[in-house]
Amino acid sequence: MKIKVLTLVVLIFALVSNNFSQEKGIIRGYVYDAKAKYPLVNANIWLEGTNRGDVSDFKGYFEIKNLKSGNYTVVVSYIGYRQKKELVSLAPDEVKTIEVYLEELPYFSVEEIVVFGKPSETYNQVEVGGKEITKQIPRDIGDFIRNFSNSSAIKKGGYALDPVMRGVKYDQINVQIDNGVKIEPACPNRMDPPTSHVQAEELEKVEILKGPYALRYGPNFGGVLNFVMAKPERFEGFTVVGRVESGYESNWNGKFGRLTVSGGQKLFDFRISGGVKDYKNYKDGAGNEVQSSFKIKDWSGKFGFNPVENHRFQISIREVYARDVLYPALPMDGRKDDSRVVSLDYLGKNLNGLINSVNLKAYYSKVYHLMDNAFKPTIAMVDAATDVNTKTYGGRSEIGLIVGENVLFVGFDYSRIEKDGFRTRKMKTGPMAGKTFIDTVWQNSYVSNLGVFSELRTGLEGFNIMLSARYDINYAGAITPAPSFARLFGGLSSKHHNFSLSAGVDKVLTSNLQVTLLLATSKRSPNISERFINFLPIGIDNYDYVGNPSLKPEVNNSVDLIVKSKLLGGIFKGDVFYYYVKDFISAKIRSDLMPKNMGVLGVKQFVNIETVKFIGFELGYVSTFSKNFGFKVDLSKTKAWDAVTGEPLPQIPPFEARSTFYYRLFNGGVTPELTIRAVSRKSDVSTSYGETPTPGFAVVNLMISVNYFKFADISIGVNNLFNKVYYEHLNRRVRTTGIPIYEPGRSFFINLIMKVGE
């Protein structure tokens, strides 16, 4: 089989090479922004009706070689710009040079993290479009995050996986919706991380900003995840369009459906969408059933008003209702989780020669969470239920200025998080039988954060430079603390003054080589769990955890070195990073404290560790030599440890390699895609957190997407093609048996989108 595959690959390249060798002409040129006249990097260029093309380099340059004489239509496209076509007549052996100027699209979004000014790598930004998401039918967006380089997720059941990027997690990642909206988990065990309140079918794209360098979007310790929800379409005259989406996944016996209606005209627009999901327990590769069922209902609406050119007002509403979500790794299951998010936005753009943009946002979000142990073995001894809720409200204001050839952003943001709730335990056995205990969970606590920020983008002697700073005042307190918790501390309120700085510089050394250096020192104040959790088993190990209001902010001193090059008919990107973290928040055993929960090993309290270190790399290659055939390869690894004791930090993913191969048939109407993912054995583990080595594995997924029809998109495929038995290192263990939560075995899926009027 391997010999046949190798022979096929050799024949393909031989045919391509032979075809090229018979042709002599060249079309080359440059792609520029029509207004600012700076080069557009990674613009797509191809010859209409052929599979020949290129991608522009760091000077906007492209080149298509070995062409026969004749007339060609050169098509140039770039995200956020109008596509443009150029007619070129080529004589035998002629070299024709053209310049293409693209105009920015007039529609602009209040949802996206948009950087204007000279293109650069000073944010280390990655974007994944909505079509790439929905065609893979991800039942949970946290699970989908695993597809990104050096990204993983903590799994406690079949739904609501918690993202991990470069080994940082939870509030070390700034997770937001539509560029600034935040939603706080209510569950102490994070059954409902922010990603669980976003449905994949509603996404327009995911923006990932790795490292603590983007300080404009709130306190940033280890990166930003911005989930851009689909926005209304724009029409000149009144129009209404719609789509119906439905899918099925075999292993889970999982079904989902969604209806979307959008429309409007130049003055106003709207988009309303709603969906349902019903997934059962899945089976792993050995046929063992994993408790993982869940039910989801959601709806969302966006309503925009465009009174005059370059001004937009928008209101967004989103609600998600989760029911009967099973978590085999936790002492309880999610019976109910309801969330609501409301946001108001204003964006003005190109207001005058000085003010390029004004962005104003106000939002409110709330989560109500109910969990119990009705389907756990402990129900024979105690009837337990936890009823909790959170509220988050805040806003953001930013002005973008153009000062000469410089771009300057200034603004402020504010958020306040409030949490409260109780756990009720009705004892059934033992000397306490018949008694009821009520425990305060969040102790009616809050965290407020007010920040001001600025960012300057400029150029000097061929260097692109970014300088950014923010100053945060962080308040926290517990309004109604439990007496036993209050006795542990002299005071429960705290106030932090956090100053963060970042800088980035990139330089185009040659037409095929760009180098970027990023530096930052960034602070993160502890969250409510780390400050005020009240004797609950919320960690990866079996201990009651207690908060610590005296915690210091974590400080991440970081550096990224990025090299990007056009190489071997494609784009190569390599990134090496190093984090030197002071006052890292961890936990240590308190042998003087007694646990409150049955079956736990003791009590751990959150503390600051003097110094920890992270080091890692991300390597990627994307082929660009053909419009139809392509592949991409990603390699990543992170290593993290306590610099004082030398012990590895917990929940750090192992080395991973991922390859994807595709071929566009029928002019891109049908695209088969094969993905191979290999993960190495994880042996450097944290024994103090109960981690054990994880075996390596390799899985293969196959998908065929069909975009041949104007009225429908179809994707079919199979995940875990060879039905491997495996589990991820960050998967939690089944609480009753200690066995890791294994991943699903072979699972077939189909996703169908029907379009009306689009």
Side-chain angles (χ1 to χ4, degrees), residues 393-454:
Y393 49 91
R396 183 175 185 272
S397 174
E398 178 186 89
I399 299 178
L401 306 173
I402 297 181
V403 185
E405 295 184 356
N406 306 315
V407 179
L408 176 66
F409 298 94
V410 293
F412 72 90
D413 50 51
Y414 174 78
S415 66
R416 180 180 172 91
I417 300 169
E418 300 175 354
K419 290 190 174 187
D420 199 11
F422 302 89
R423 179 181 63 171
T424 303
R425 293 179 293 158
K426 299 178 181 179
M427 311 307 294
K428 295 181 176 180
T429 60
M432 298 294 180
K435 293 186 177 182
T436 299
F437 297 90
I438 299 178
D439 309 308
T440 59
V441 176
W442 295 122
Q443 308 185 88
N444 196 11
S445 54
Y446 68 90
V447 171
S448 295
N449 195 93
L450 173 65
V452 294
F453 59 83
S454 66

Side-chain angles (χ1 to χ4, degrees), residues 1 107 185 205 297 318 392 405 463 477 545 588 649 687 701:
M1 180 65 182
Y107 181 74
K205 66 177 179 178
K297 294 181 180 179
R318 177 171 298 103
T392 306
E405 295 184 356
F463 290 88
Y545 275 69
K588 290 188 176 179
L649 295 185
T687 55
N701 300 330

Side-chain angles (χ1 to χ4, degrees), residues 653-724:
F655 170 80
E656 179 175 328
R658 182 190 300 270
S659 303
T660 299
F661 304 85
Y662 65 87
Y663 194 90
R664 295 187 176 99
L665 303 171
F666 306 108
N667 200 27
V670 178
T671 305
E673 185 176 303
L674 181 72
T675 299
I676 304 171
R677 178 169 173 256
V679 177
S680 71
R681 172 182 169 84
K682 177 71 173 177
S683 55
D684 53 331
V685 296
S686 174
T687 55
S688 65
Y689 274 83
E691 284 192 325
T692 57
T694 304
F697 60 87
V699 291
V700 178
N701 300 330
L702 177 64
M703 178 176 61
I704 300 175
S705 55
V706 181
N707 306 109
Y708 188 81
F709 309 103
K710 290 184 178 180
F711 60 88
D713 292 335
I714 305 170
S715 60
I716 57 175
V718 54
N719 292 323
N720 194 357
L721 178 63
F722 298 108
N723 203 32
K724 291 289 185 178

Side-chain angles (χ1 to χ4, degrees), residues 20-28 63-72 88-97:
F20 285 1
S21 67
Q22 296 175 11
E23 304 163 343
K24 302 295 183 182
I26 298 174
I27 297 177
R28 64 188 184 186
E63 188 174 81
I64 306 173
K65 297 181 179 180
N66 302 315
L67 298 174
K68 295 179 180 179
S69 61
N71 297 322
Y72 293 93
V88 176
S89 295
L90 200 64
D93 300 330
E94 183 181 10
V95 177
K96 184 70 65 91
T97 302

Side-chain angles (χ1 to χ4, degrees), residues 219-408:
N220 182 10
F221 177 87
V224 178
L225 271 176
N226 183 36
F227 295 101
V228 180
M229 311 307 292
K231 55 180 176 285
E233 297 184 53
R234 297 290 297 276
F235 304 97
E236 288 296 321
F238 183 76
T239 305
V240 177
V241 299
R243 62 169 53 195
V244 177
E245 185 173 0
S246 182
Y248 177 76
E249 190 168 3
S250 63
N251 194 328
W252 301 66
N253 191 21
K255 301 174 286 292
F256 79 90
R258 176 166 293 274
L259 173 64
T260 302
V261 178
S262 59
Q265 41 106 310
K266 190 174 182 179
L267 181 63
F268 67 91
D269 48 67
F270 64 90
R271 186 181 192 277
I272 302 173
S273 181
V276 295
K277 293 182 179 179
D278 188 354
Y279 282 72
K280 310 302 182 183
N281 296 336
Y282 69 76
K283 293 183 179 180
D284 64 22
N288 300 309
E289 187 172 292
V290 177
Q291 301 297 306
S292 52
S293 63
F294 62 89
K295 297 177 182 178
I296 305 293
K297 294 181 180 179
D298 76 286
W299 80 274
S300 66
K302 283 189 177 182
F303 308 90
F305 177 57
N306 314 290
V308 293
E309 186 178 2
N310 292 341
H311 294 268
R312 177 172 176 81
F313 298 87
Q314 181 173 282
I315 180 171
S316 303
I317 306 171
R318 177 171 298 103
E319 293 183 340
V320 179
Y321 306 94
R323 295 289 184 273
D324 302 329
V325 185
L326 300 186
Y327 295 92
L330 300 179
M332 292 186 182
D333 295 313
R335 193 62 47 223
K336 178 186 295 187
D337 192 272
D338 297 342
S339 64
R340 175 180 297 163
V341 181
V342 179
S343 65
L344 300 172
D345 291 272
Y346 163 75
L347 178 61
K349 191 174 180 182
N350 300 324
L351 302 184
N352 55 48
L354 174 64
I355 302 176
N356 182 272
S357 65
V358 175
N359 195 321
L360 306 176
K361 180 185 292 288
Y363 68 89
Y364 171 78
S365 65
K366 62 180 294 186
V367 180
Y368 170 71
H369 183 79
L370 174 65
M371 56 184 176
D372 60 35
N373 68 334
F375 297 107
K376 301 292 186 181
T378 54
I379 190 65
M381 297 172 286
V382 57
D383 187 349
T386 302
D387 192 309
V388 288
N389 60 78
T390 66
K391 297 178 182 179
T392 306
Y393 49 91
R396 183 175 185 272
S397 174
E398 178 186 89
I399 299 178
L401 306 173
I402 297 181
V403 185
E405 295 184 356
N406 306 315
V407 179
L408 176 66

